[in-house]
Amino acid sequence: MSDTSESAQGAQAAKAAQIREPAAEASRRTSSVRRGGGGDPASRGRTTIAEGVVEKIAGLAARDVEGVHAMGSGVSRTFGAVRDRVPGGRASVTRGVKVEVGEVQTALDLEIVVEYGYSILDVAGDVRENVISAVERMTGLEVVEVNIAVSDVKLPEEEEEEPETRLQ
């Protein structure tokens, strides 16, 4: 057989394999780049993303949705309010967010407080959409699920949960 027909058959086989098994094809491409010593520098090495990174992205994306009053359960919000008032303390953007991160996928659990008057289903759907979009865009990880637990509804007449301070 000629070199041209072999390379055409090889290209067709590679394309078919890429359609059937994109991850396996990417792996083969990476290993061939290592052997050859050339190619795309971005494919030389491995990138890992810590759970805390995904938690921060998801927490900020969830808080951006209209109708979300707060994140986390009542207990965690109370402790967070105390921590926020301590000099040097900062608000935790990861409160109410738990994630599991794999090599190419992630799953998230969010706990939110919805403001009274908003549709809980609409707010949860908007949170899910915003979180998936932000996490996938910023990390490249595939978000396989976003579970949302609504732990409370913020009523208009309720005061903010702020602890009393002894210092004036």
Side-chain angles (χ1 to χ4, degrees):
M1 260 203 308
S2 71
D3 288 329
T4 334
S5 65
E6 283 179 15
S7 63
Q9 286 178 340
Q12 286 176 339
K15 187 173 183 178
Q18 188 174 17
I19 292 169
R20 286 190 308 270
E21 298 176 28
E25 180 59 26
S27 162
R28 283 192 286 274
R29 238 189 345 251
T30 302
S31 60
S32 68
V33 168
R34 286 188 192 130
R35 282 193 301 264
D40 181 20
S43 66
R44 296 183 197 176
R46 188 165 148 185
T47 302
T48 57
I49 299 171
E51 288 181 353
V53 172
V54 178
E55 287 174 346
K56 286 181 181 180
I57 294 168
L60 290 171
R63 284 171 175 78
D64 282 346
V65 174
E66 190 174 342
V68 174
H69 174 72
M71 301 283 295
S73 66
V75 174
S76 70
R77 289 194 323 270
T78 301
F79 283 125
V82 171
R83 186 180 57 243
D84 296 347
R85 295 184 66 106
V86 172
R90 297 186 309 185
S92 173
V93 296
T94 61
R95 185 181 312 140
V97 181
K98 292 183 179 126
V99 302
E100 290 181 38
V101 178
E103 288 187 25
V104 294
Q105 295 179 328
T106 186
L108 299 96
D109 293 322
L110 306 175
E111 190 170 359
I112 65 173
V113 176
V114 176
E115 293 181 15
Y116 179 81
Y118 286 87
S119 164
I120 292 174
L121 293 177
D122 290 346
V123 171
D126 292 346
V127 167
R128 189 172 285 113
E129 185 178 318
N130 207 34
V131 166
I132 289 170
S133 173
V135 169
E136 287 185 345
R137 179 176 42 84
M138 294 180 73
T139 66
L141 295 169
E142 176 191 3
V143 177
V144 293
E145 68 180 6
V146 176
N147 299 311
I148 298 174
V150 179
S151 62
D152 201 359
V153 173
K154 166 66 170 79
L155 300 175
E157 64 272 1
E158 288 180 342
E159 293 182 25
E160 289 295 315
E161 296 172 0
E162 293 203 24
E164 293 183 25
T165 61
R166 298 185 326 172
L167 304 175
Q168 295 294 331

